Amino acid sequence: MSLPPSPRLPKPLPQVPGPKLVPFTRTAHAVIQFVKELGSPGQDGRVWEVTIKGKPYALKMFMFCPTDYLRDDLAGHLVRDLSSPRFYTDYFDPFSCECRAYGRLKEENREHLAVRSHGYLLLTPAQELEITRSIAGSEPSRSNIWDRSEEHQHLPIQAIVKDLAESQEPFTAKQVPDMWADLKELHELGILVRDIRIFNYLGGKLIDFSRSWSTPHPGYAALYWADEGEERSGDAHGLNKAVIEWGIGNHWDWDEVVIPDEMVNCASGRGPNQYGVDPRLYNWLKWEKNPVAASAFLEEHVLEKPVDNGEYLRTWGV
Ligand SMILES: Nc1ncnc2c1ncn2[C@@H]1O[C@H](COP(=O)(O)OP(=O)(O)OP(=O)(O)O)[C@@H](O)[C@H]1O
Ligand SMILES: [Mg+2]
């Protein structure tokens, strides 16, 4: 007698070589009690305090992103296209970006570098209805809260379970040197955050990786050469700016604040080591079961084959 086929269990995501986030439970479903919304509605989703199996968490539920938006906005500055719409979702969708960054922190055992994530969940239709009704109750004028379009009709809302940050404060003056140390370590681990701002920190820890590039990422090979410096300096520049803005707004005594010289130098690209550690140098292949196939996949399949239009030749200085 043959056994009934086992239901297909959700896999770590995204399903491309490189880091991935595992489901929070075996089925990626859980009984969730929605408590209250945290912060104000963000660009990428809604974050709610929830209780799962009696424990409090922050649950970030992501909006759906059409491929056009990913290609023309989030990857709009790139000079080469990806070979398939699927790869825009795998590498540029905010949910995938967070999965890849958190997956890397987990595999490297460096989860303390950000507010910790515990895995992803897929909302059931009943949970989607419940949360949508709660939100619509307070925002009756909003329709299509999750930006679902034709291409997402049958897909569940994707969500990431994170620790509930204890602090409501983005950061204090004392935390600045540690925030820079964490950011440098993220770069060493191949994670370029690309969205360092005041309100992407809570209690001095990053809470948001929705624009991050975790090595290997096709964005690097598709950058116009003149944009490379901006990408590489962006994190240090963002932190420098966030510290100054938050410090001014909160009347910090600047004599008491340690602003790392290295951060200021990396923000301008003028330091002894220019932009600091290069995230592209991270050895991601050490985690791959088949490193040859993984690196060939990235090099040969993800980017559209270049057309000989001069732009490509200039980009690569050929
Ligand atoms: N782990 C957490 N614990 C407590 N509050 C959180 C947590 N994560 C997010 N929040 C709250 O939710 C808000 C939005 O979170 P997040 O930045 O991850 O979403 P987003 O959609 O990327 O928003 P934005 O576009 O404003 O950056 C945060 O500013 C914060 O107030
Ligand atoms: Mg954010």
Side-chain angles (χ1 to χ4, degrees):
M1 199 176 69
S2 62
L3 291 169
S6 60
R8 285 210 359 236
L9 289 173
K11 295 182 171 151
L13 293 176
Q15 280 286 298
V16 278
K20 298 167 188 54
L21 189 66
V22 294
F24 180 68
T25 59
R26 221 167 65 94
T27 57
H29 293 306
V31 176
I32 305 168
Q33 266 113 38
F34 294 97
V35 179
K36 62 171 192 285
E37 182 147 27
L38 298 167
S40 40
Q43 221 186 328
D44 303 321
R46 318 285 294 222
V47 184
W48 275 61
E49 180 182 336
V50 297
T51 308
I52 303 173
K53 287 199 174 163
K55 278 196 190 166
Y57 294 101
L59 186 70
K60 182 166 181 176
M61 295 167 279
F62 290 79
M63 246 101 88
F64 293 96
C65 293
T67 310
D68 293 2
Y69 165 70
L70 299 175
R71 190 189 51 228
D72 303 340
D73 287 69
L74 300 190
H77 61 308
L78 303 182
V79 295
R80 286 178 69 186
D81 284 338
L82 305 190
S83 65
S84 149
R86 193 200 118 193
F87 294 138
Y88 284 101
T89 302
D90 291 335
Y91 290 105
F92 290 94
D93 183 272
F95 170 76
S96 302
C97 290
E98 291 220 10
C99 285
R100 299 186 81 242
Y102 279 118
R104 173 63 42 78
L105 293 182
K106 175 92 186 162
E107 65 194 0
E108 283 284 358
N109 204 12
R110 285 285 181 276
E111 291 172 282
H112 61 279
L113 295 177
V115 165
R116 199 183 167 104
S117 153
H118 299 275
Y120 75 83
L121 284 176
L122 305 173
L123 296 199
T124 62
Q127 286 168 336
E128 179 174 336
L129 195 64
E130 180 186 347
I131 190 68
T132 306
R133 279 194 179 144
S134 298
I135 293 170
S138 51
E139 299 170 32
S141 57
R142 277 209 64 173
S143 60
N144 198 8
I145 287 166
W146 306 102
D147 286 349
R148 196 189 244 108
S149 54
E150 196 57 38
E151 62 185 294
H152 312 116
Q153 275 322 311
H154 304 292
L155 298 179
I157 291 176
Q158 297 169 310
I160 295 184
V161 182
K162 301 183 187 180
D163 274 349
L164 188 61
E166 283 166 19
S167 174
Q168 303 295 315
E169 179 97 340
F171 49 86
T172 61
K174 277 208 176 78
Q175 287 167 329
V176 171
D178 285 343
M179 289 160 68
W180 172 241
D182 285 356
L183 196 51
K184 278 200 306 181
E185 206 178 328
L186 288 169
H187 293 170
E188 276 162 19
L189 299 178
I191 302 169
L192 195 63
V193 183
R194 302 182 67 255
D195 193 19
I196 295 281
R197 290 185 279 124
I198 297 172
F199 294 105
N200 280 340
Y201 280 94
L202 278 177
K205 288 287 167 189
L206 267 167
I207 52 166
D208 185 353
F209 285 103
S210 60
R211 298 287 179 279
S212 61
W213 287 1
S214 299
T215 301
H217 196 282
Y220 291 113
L223 271 180
Y224 184 54
W225 64 269
D227 290 340
E228 192 185 307
E230 206 174 315
E231 285 287 354
R232 292 280 317 283
S233 63
D235 282 1
H237 181 73
L239 185 54
N240 202 22
K241 188 163 169 271
V243 166
I244 292 166
E245 285 175 5
W246 189 244
I248 291 174
N250 287 279
H251 312 289
W252 283 357
D253 175 355
W254 293 101
D255 291 338
E256 303 276 302
V257 187
V258 179
I259 300 206
D261 289 343
E262 194 184 18
M263 174 176 86
V264 178
N265 288 336
C266 289
S268 64
R270 290 204 203 98
N273 58 356
Q274 217 187 7
Y275 301 113
V277 181
D278 187 340
R280 289 173 293 189
L281 301 179
Y282 176 81
N283 175 16
W284 63 279
L285 287 170
K286 70 182 175 184
W287 301 108
E288 295 295 322
K289 279 198 194 109
N290 186 342
V292 175
S295 109
F297 177 86
L298 257 295
E299 280 161 28
E300 290 162 29
H301 295 299
V302 177
L303 286 163
E304 188 80 81
K305 294 278 172 282
V307 277
D308 187 5
N309 63 1
E311 180 77 83
Y312 173 74
L313 299 179
R314 274 197 302 284
T315 304
W316 293 95
V318 180

